[in-house]
Amino acid sequence: DAALAQGRASGKATAALVLAPEGLPDLADRFGPEAQDIALRRVVDRLSAALRDDDVLGQLVDGRLAIALSPMRRADLETLLQISGRALDALREPITIDGTTAYLSGSAGFCLQSRCPDPTGAALLAAAETALSEAQSNGTGAIRAYSAEMQKAVSRRHDLREELATALETRQIRPWFQPQISTDTGQVTGFEALARWAHPQRGLIPPVDFLGIVLQAGLSSRLTDEMLFQALSALRAWDQAGVHVPSVGVNFSDQELRDPELVDRIRWELDRFSLAPQRLTIEILETVVSGADDDVITRNIAALAQLGCGIDLDDFGTGHASISSIRRFTVRRLKIDRSFVTRVDRDREQQNLVAAILSMAERLNLETLAEGVETAGEHAMLAQLGCGHVQGFGIARPMPFEDTIGWIHRHREKLAQAASLGRQAG
């Protein structure tokens, strides 16, 4: 309110900025509860040093930080993006606790005075918090500026959040399955289970619109349990239908991997369905492995590999996992991120990057799968380069379980026809 009043008197403008540090609970788990306070104090000190004397820095609930900028002549979008970027840089600087280096990340939202729906300090702060919520839904490190349209999107996400628990209980959220095939034989080598929300009024809601809300609502473990149950149910149903699907992949976040009871739960579910552990593939983002010095995560992944489950390193090439961490986590297969796959048949640099990944994987005795394959040319080039498996819209889009058996039969028929034509040509 004071900044707004000063701005009106001087002809200048203000803005509100809200930051959400991420990773504080992890520090508490690793170093004790006092580590979270130590890290937050150091972040506050760094931000204070980066701000002007008349800017006001305050702490909100849940560790969030708010900045009321003193009036300035140029409070525009470009200036606030630069200030937000510097604030996030201060947040990301390494922190030393008990002789160990730790890292935080975060997101930022801001509201310009000119865009605020109401000329009060409370409204400006609330609008910045709305922008932060939008930033958080777009992943770590995002920065968003408040707009009127954003409020509608936030309201929609709030409505979805209110319905999440019911959606999980009534199985509105179900896995859709995307096939993975061998580049050598063309045979199906597995399916990946991908969450889809079939909302009774809104229709099919894509994962990008609700997975972030699941995480914020603390329901990620509940979602993973549901996905695991339905994925194993699908394996048993495929077996009963006489179609061979070697394995199904289920994604696990770092939250689930920190659960000390995870391995026992998975073992129990496999026994419940009378399925060998080799039929289940645990998909883990490369960012989890590259940043995982958590003992529970390490033990769980090692125990799941020892149990016999396959360990797939997802989005490989985006998370900077070291070779030692790949070996330490007993990774079975690298899933090459789609950013390396796009236009690989036409871009020589892409071919060189993929070839380097494949060469490393071969030396480490790891299998490989390319994600996001969309064209026959990309498929052919990946096979030529020696990638073992492919997955993507060029093979098939994710589909509900009811459509999978028909797709498998049609795929087998195409393979048989191709083999027959090959013999005739020979």
Side-chain angles (χ1 to χ4, degrees):
D1 286 333
L4 285 168
Q6 291 170 14
R8 282 190 290 268
S10 63
K12 299 177 182 179
T14 183
L17 170 65
V18 181
L19 302 168
E22 296 176 15
L24 290 171
D26 295 343
L27 295 184
D29 290 342
R30 289 170 56 193
F31 303 109
E34 70 283 353
Q36 188 167 331
D37 294 332
I38 293 170
L40 195 55
R41 283 199 299 272
R42 290 182 184 170
V43 167
V44 167
D45 290 343
R46 290 171 182 171
L47 287 173
S48 298
L51 296 173
R52 298 169 299 167
D53 291 341
D54 294 334
D55 296 332
V56 178
L57 173 65
Q59 184 175 343
L60 307 178
V61 296
D62 301 329
R64 289 175 297 151
L65 301 169
I67 300 170
L69 293 172
S70 61
M72 60 182 73
R73 294 194 181 279
R74 188 179 175 186
D76 57 14
L77 188 64
E78 181 180 349
T79 300
L80 264 294
L81 284 171
Q82 291 175 354
I83 293 172
S84 300
R86 289 200 297 270
L88 289 181
D89 287 342
L91 193 64
R92 287 189 287 255
E93 285 185 31
I95 297 170
T96 302
I97 300 175
D98 293 340
T100 302
T101 302
Y103 297 90
L104 297 177
S105 56
S107 303
F110 65 85
C111 181
L112 301 169
Q113 179 179 337
S114 59
R115 291 190 178 186
C116 188
D118 188 43
T120 66
L124 195 59
L125 180 59
E129 290 184 283
T130 296
L132 172 64
S133 178
E134 181 71 12
Q136 288 176 308
S137 71
N138 285 272
T140 300
I143 301 172
R144 291 295 182 272
Y146 175 83
S147 66
E149 294 77 15
M150 182 179 291
Q151 184 63 55
K152 297 176 183 177
V154 170
S155 297
R156 181 172 180 268
R157 283 201 301 275
H158 176 76
D159 292 343
L160 289 178
R161 179 169 179 163
E162 293 294 308
E163 299 176 58
L164 261 178
T166 301
L168 286 166
E169 290 295 330
T170 57
R171 295 201 170 153
Q172 294 174 24
I173 301 179
R174 303 168 54 200
W176 280 33
F177 297 93
Q178 188 171 37
Q180 302 163 338
I181 66 173
S182 164
T183 56
D184 184 28
T185 65
Q187 297 290 339
V188 173
T189 55
F191 278 84
E192 180 179 2
L194 300 162
R196 297 291 186 271
W197 185 348
H199 194 283
Q201 281 81 43
R202 302 175 191 264
L204 194 65
I205 301 175
V208 68
D209 288 349
F210 70 87
L211 288 183
I213 307 172
V214 170
L215 188 63
Q216 293 171 18
L219 292 171
S220 58
S221 293
R222 177 72 183 85
L223 173 62
T224 301
D225 286 346
E226 188 61 31
M227 293 291 289
L228 178 63
F229 174 82
Q230 295 194 45
L232 298 182
S233 298
L235 274 174
R236 187 166 65 178
W238 285 321
D239 289 347
Q240 291 170 345
V243 295
H244 179 55
V245 175
S247 69
V248 64
V250 177
N251 292 275
F252 286 78
S253 73
D254 55 348
Q255 280 192 357
E256 287 86 61
L257 292 167
R258 285 195 186 92
D259 181 357
E261 298 179 355
L262 176 66
V263 179
D264 289 337
R265 284 197 353 252
I266 289 178
R267 183 186 289 112
W268 188 87
E269 290 287 355
L270 289 166
D271 290 343
R272 176 185 183 184
F273 286 94
S274 300
L275 292 168
Q278 291 75 14
R279 305 288 300 279
L280 175 64
T281 297
I282 310 295
E283 303 220 2
I284 302 168
L285 288 173
E286 187 192 7
T287 50
V288 173
V289 170
S290 61
D293 47 10
D294 187 300
D295 289 341
V296 177
I297 291 179
T298 304
R299 286 197 302 269
N300 275 341
I301 296 176
L304 289 168
Q306 188 173 9
L307 181 64
C309 298
I311 307 295
D312 274 13
L313 195 57
D314 208 357
D315 293 350
F316 183 76
T318 63
H320 312 297
S322 66
I323 293 176
S324 61
S325 66
I326 292 172
R327 304 308 296 168
R328 180 162 58 100
F329 288 103
T330 325
V331 172
R332 180 200 64 174
R333 182 167 66 180
L334 303 180
K335 295 188 74 175
I336 303 170
D337 186 71
R338 61 178 301 173
S339 61
F340 297 103
V341 171
T342 302
R343 300 174 60 89
V344 70
D345 54 326
R346 290 174 282 176
D347 188 325
R348 184 66 181 175
E349 185 175 342
Q350 290 284 75
Q351 292 172 24
N352 291 337
L353 286 169
V354 172
I357 293 171
L358 295 174
S359 177
M360 180 195 72
E362 183 180 11
R363 292 296 182 94
L364 295 174
N365 199 29
L366 298 173
E367 296 181 40
T368 50
L369 181 148
E371 301 180 283
V373 177
E374 296 191 352
T375 68
E378 290 170 355
H379 186 170
M381 177 55 68
L382 289 162
Q384 182 179 331
L385 290 172
C387 184
H389 309 261
V390 287
Q391 172 183 349
F393 289 176
I395 290 87
R397 292 177 177 269
M399 64 192 83
F401 171 78
E402 304 83 65
D403 296 346
T404 58
I405 294 176
W407 183 88
I408 291 170
H409 287 311
R410 290 191 298 274
H411 182 70
R412 284 180 177 174
E413 289 171 2
K414 285 196 294 186
L415 291 178
Q417 290 172 3
S420 176
L421 290 172
R423 287 194 296 272
Q424 291 174 17

